[in-house]
Amino acid sequence: MPRFYVTTPIYYVNDAPHVGHAYTTVNADALARWHRLVGDEVFFLTGTDEHGAKVAEAAAEHGMSPQEWADTVVQRFLGAWRDLDIANDDFIRTTEPRHHHAVQAFLQRIYDNGYIRLDTYTGLYCVSCEDYYTPEQLVDGKCPIHGRPVVEMEEENYFFELSRFEDRLLRWYEENPDAIRPATKRNEALSFVKGGLKDISITRTSMHWGVPVPWDERHVFYVWYDALINYLTAVGYGADEERWRLWWPAVHHLIGKEIVRFHCVWWPAMCMAAGVDPPAHVFVHGWLLVGGQKLSKTLVRQQADSADADDADDAADATDAADRPVRLTEIAPQALTEDFGVDATRYHLLRDVPFGTDGDFSYEGLVSRYNADLANNLGNLVARVATVVGSKCGGIGPAPDPESALAEVAGDVVSSAADAWARIAPHEALEQTWRLIGAANAALEAAEPWKAEPGPAVDAVLGDALEVLRLVSLLVSPAMPATSTEIWRRIGLDGGPQDRRLPADAAWGGYPGGVPVEKGEPLFPRRKA
Ligand code: MSP
C-alpha cells in the first residue's frame, strides 16, 4: 500500500493561532484526507515549536515559566484544529521527552561524523525570526521581516559546517528536480547555495530554554536546529528504527515561503550529515494577505466581542484596531468558523488561495465565494434535487441513467480532480469538482423536472443528479468532511464518503436508487454581501 507522510511546520507558541496557520493546516488535512480516500496509508503530522528565545520572551511577559506558557498556548492550537475538523495522526510538541531524545540522537550522529565544531559567534540577532542577519540584510537597521531592532550577540557556539555541503546540495537539487516545488522556490534555494554557504551556529549558552547538547551540558540547541528534527521524531527516529524507515524519506513537507532556507538548505544538509536521506518533497506555499478593509472591521470586532471579560484591555485594543488595517495574525480561525461555519471556512482557504502563490484574503471575497459556490451551486443542487424527488418520486431516489451525458463530464472531472490533488493543487481539484456541480444544475434547468409529469424521463434526470451528488460528496470530502457526510446521508446512502475508495467507487452509476432522499435544512443559507 502506498504511503503518504505529510507535515505542517510546527507553530511557535509565542502567540495564538491565526488564519495563516490555519491555511497550511487545512491544506495538509485535505491532502491527508484525499490520500486516505485513494487508499494510501497516511501519516499526517502537525505540532508546536516550543523552545527558543521568542517563546521564553512571551512567557516572561506573561509571568509564567516557558513550560507553563507553552502548556497554555498549545491548548489554543489544539482547540483551533479541533474546531476546524483537522484529523492529524499525531501532534508533536518539541518539549516532549521523545523529541529531546530524537534531537540528541540525531545531532550526536552529526557530531560523531565530524561536522560540528566549537567557535565564537558574533552577530545581529532577531528574536522574532530566531535568526541572525548580516548588516547588509537589515532594512533601516532593523529585521527585514519583522521590522524590529536586532540585538548584537556574542557567544561561544557549536557550529554546523554547512559550508561543506555546497556540492552535495547542488547535486541533490539537480538529481531531484521535483524535491522542491514550485520551481521558483527550488531556484531560490539553488541560488542561495550557489552564493556560498557559511557555517551556522547551532547552540546557545545565553539561554537555557532548549534541548540540552548531549556532549556539552552548558549548551542548548538553537531552536531551529531542534525544530526541524520533529519530522523524524514523530515517525520514531532514535526509538524505532523499523518504523521511521517505513515513512522516511518519502515525506511531504508543506511550508510557508519565508522558511525555505531552513527546509531546503539546512534541513537536507543536516540529514546528509547525520547519514539520513533528505526529505523527498518540500512544497512551498505563499502568504495570505489581508485585502478589504471590511474584513478588519468585522472580524476584529467579533474577536473583541467574544473576548473574556477579564481580557478587557485586549478587547479595547481590538476595538481601536478596527480603525486601522488589520494584520492577518490578528484574525483567529475561530472568528471565521463562528461566522461562516467550519466547512465554508475550510473551502475558502482551499479554494481561494492557490497553494504556491500569495493570495488576497478578504471578507468580501469570502462572502462572494460562499454565495456563488456553496449557496447557489452546491447547496442549491442538494435542495433542488431533494425537493423534486419529494414531489415527483415520493421521496425515493431513482437510479441514474448509465448512458447519461453527465457520465462523461463526471469521468473527466474525477480524473482531473484526482490529478490536481496529487499535484498538491486543491484549488484546482475543487474548481474541477464545481464543473460537475455546474453541469448537473444546467441539466436540471434544461429538463425542468419540476414541471414534468412523473415518469421514466423525470426519474432519469433526478437519478443522474443524485449520482452527481454522490460523486461530489466523495470529491469534496477532503475539503468539507461534515458537509459531504451530510449529503451522503440525505441522499440515502449508508456509512460515509470517507469509507469509500477512489477511483473504484467514483465510477458512474454507483447510486443504487430505491433509497429515501431527505430534504433537510439549507446546507449553506445565502449571505448578505
Ligand atoms: N516554528 C517555525 C517553523 C518550524 S518547522 C520545523 C515557524 N513557525 S510560525 O508559527 O512562525 O510559522 C509557521 C508557518 O505559518 C509558516 O510556514 C508560515 O509561512 C505560516 N504562516 C504565517 N503567516 C502566514 C500567512 N499570513 N499566510 C500563510 N501562511 C502563514 O516558522
Side-chain angles (χ1 to χ4, degrees):
M1 189 190 280
R3 288 204 161 74
F4 183 74
Y5 176 20
V6 62
T7 67
T8 71
I10 47 173
Y11 304 108
Y12 285 127
V13 290
N14 61 310
D15 211 344
H18 57 71
V19 291
H21 301 138
Y23 176 62
T24 323
T25 309
V26 165
N27 271 281
D29 182 63
L31 281 172
R33 287 176 186 270
W34 172 263
H35 281 269
R36 289 188 196 110
L37 197 61
V38 295
D40 293 350
E41 197 173 334
V42 170
F43 188 65
F44 164 26
L45 174 70
T46 186
T48 40
D49 194 352
E50 303 190 352
H51 293 127
K54 186 151 61 170
V55 173
E57 224 179 43
E61 273 167 27
H62 290 83
M64 289 188 198
S65 72
Q67 187 68 59
E68 282 168 341
W69 175 250
D71 290 346
T72 309
V73 179
V74 73
Q75 293 305 329
R76 310 221 15 205
F77 279 90
L78 290 166
W81 303 156
R82 238 188 339 265
D83 283 350
L84 276 164
D85 217 349
I86 303 298
N88 48 303
D89 296 294
D90 195 356
F91 186 96
I92 188 160
R93 300 182 57 185
T94 54
T95 48
E96 289 174 75
R98 62 170 171 160
H99 182 62
H100 282 219
H101 177 77
V103 168
Q104 289 177 335
F106 185 89
L107 287 157
Q108 184 73 53
R109 281 288 297 278
I110 302 185
Y111 187 66
D112 294 345
N113 290 345
Y115 292 109
I116 291 177
R117 66 181 161 81
L118 192 62
D119 212 334
T120 303
Y121 192 88
T122 318
L124 302 165
Y125 195 74
C126 168
V127 173
S128 292
C129 295
E130 299 280 13
D131 200 6
Y132 280 102
Y133 286 96
T134 60
E136 302 76 52
Q137 289 171 313
L138 301 181
V139 176
D140 298 332
K142 294 185 178 149
C143 163
I145 294 187
H146 296 92
R148 65 180 273 184
V150 289
V151 280
E152 185 154 334
M153 300 232 294
E154 184 180 296
E155 288 187 82
E156 188 181 63
N157 289 168
Y158 284 96
F159 279 72
F160 171 54
E161 296 177 338
L162 182 66
S163 57
R164 291 171 62 189
F165 288 85
E166 280 177 23
D167 291 346
R168 273 175 273 188
L169 283 169
L170 293 174
R171 211 175 321 125
W172 181 64
Y173 301 137
E174 180 128 339
E175 288 168 3
N176 301 278
D178 290 334
I180 302 168
R181 283 182 291 161
T184 47
K185 299 300 169 191
R186 173 179 178 268
N187 295 340
E188 190 180 311
L190 196 81
S191 38
F192 184 79
V193 176
K194 281 189 176 156
L197 294 176
K198 291 202 179 71
D199 293 347
I200 43 179
S201 126
I202 60 163
T203 68
R204 301 283 179 267
T205 47
S206 54
M207 62 161 316
H208 307 285
W209 183 236
V211 181
V213 171
W215 61 87
D216 185 343
E217 61 195 20
R218 294 168 305 152
H219 293 248
V220 295
F221 286 111
Y222 162 49
V223 61
W224 263 104
Y225 231 70
D226 104 54
L228 288 160
I229 300 165
N230 89 86
Y231 303 129
L232 278 169
T233 306
V235 285
Y237 179 88
D240 184 343
E241 183 76 14
E242 208 178 312
R243 179 160 174 256
W244 79 264
R245 291 200 181 276
L246 220 55
W247 293 101
W248 199 266
V251 64
H252 290 74
H253 293 317
L254 308 186
I255 62 158
K257 64 179 185 180
E258 83 284 19
I259 53 179
V260 166
R261 189 164 35 107
F262 298 109
H263 283 82
C264 304
V265 180
W266 289 23
W267 180 224
M270 285 164 67
C271 287
M272 290 169 187
V276 167
D277 286 334
H281 308 280
V282 181
F283 197 97
V284 185
H285 66 73
W287 283 346
L288 251 67
L289 307 167
V290 171
Q293 188 61 18
K294 206 166 170 192
L295 170 91
S296 51
K297 298 221 167 112
T298 314
L299 294 178
V300 172
R301 274 220 191 87
Q302 206 175 325
Q303 271 178 275
D305 292 342
S306 61
D308 294 337
D310 61 358
D311 275 352
D313 285 351
D314 289 353
D317 284 353
T319 308
D320 292 346
D323 296 327
R324 62 163 169 77
V326 74
R327 286 191 295 269
L328 190 97
T329 49
E330 292 170 325
I331 307 168
Q334 215 189 358
L336 299 184
T337 55
E338 278 174 8
D339 198 359
F340 287 88
V342 174
D343 278 0
T345 302
R346 290 175 58 107
Y347 180 74
H348 174 66
L349 292 174
L350 291 163
R351 175 66 184 83
D352 277 328
V353 182
F355 212 56
T357 55
D358 285 349
D360 209 25
F361 180 87
S362 74
Y363 188 80
E364 293 85 340
L366 235 159
V367 173
S368 67
R369 174 66 71 186
Y370 174 97
N371 281 337
D373 288 11
L374 301 181
N376 294 356
N377 263 308
L378 178 57
N380 191 28
L381 181 64
V382 173
R384 233 177 189 182
V385 171
T387 306
V388 189
V389 168
S391 61
K392 304 286 173 182
C393 313
I396 301 298
D401 172 3
E403 309 293 321
S404 168
L406 282 174
E408 198 178 319
V409 185
D412 189 47
V413 162
V414 169
S415 67
S416 12
D419 176 65
W421 281 112
R423 285 186 286 110
I424 315 196
H427 67 289
E428 270 182 55
L430 294 170
E431 198 178 351
Q432 286 301 323
T433 306
W434 257 254
R435 196 152 66 79
L436 180 58
I437 299 174
N441 269 324
L444 281 177
E445 264 146 39
E448 297 190 315
W450 43 88
K451 288 190 184 158
E453 285 303 311
V458 165
D459 285 356
V461 172
L462 292 172
D464 291 353
L466 285 160
E467 171 62 352
V468 165
L469 286 178
R470 186 187 72 88
L471 294 172
V472 165
S473 172
L474 286 167
L475 294 177
V476 301
S477 65
M480 302 199 290
T483 302
S484 66
T485 305
E486 176 61 8
I487 297 174
W488 194 263
R489 192 190 63 76
R490 284 191 191 185
I491 62 173
L493 299 175
D494 289 334
Q498 292 87 346
D499 311 325
R500 300 290 153 166
R501 285 295 157 264
L502 263 51
D505 288 327
W508 181 265
Y511 187 71
V515 290
V517 172
E518 184 187 309
K519 187 148 180 318
E521 295 295 309
L523 286 177
F524 300 103
R526 233 189 115 72
R527 311 253 328 199
K528 286 207 190 73

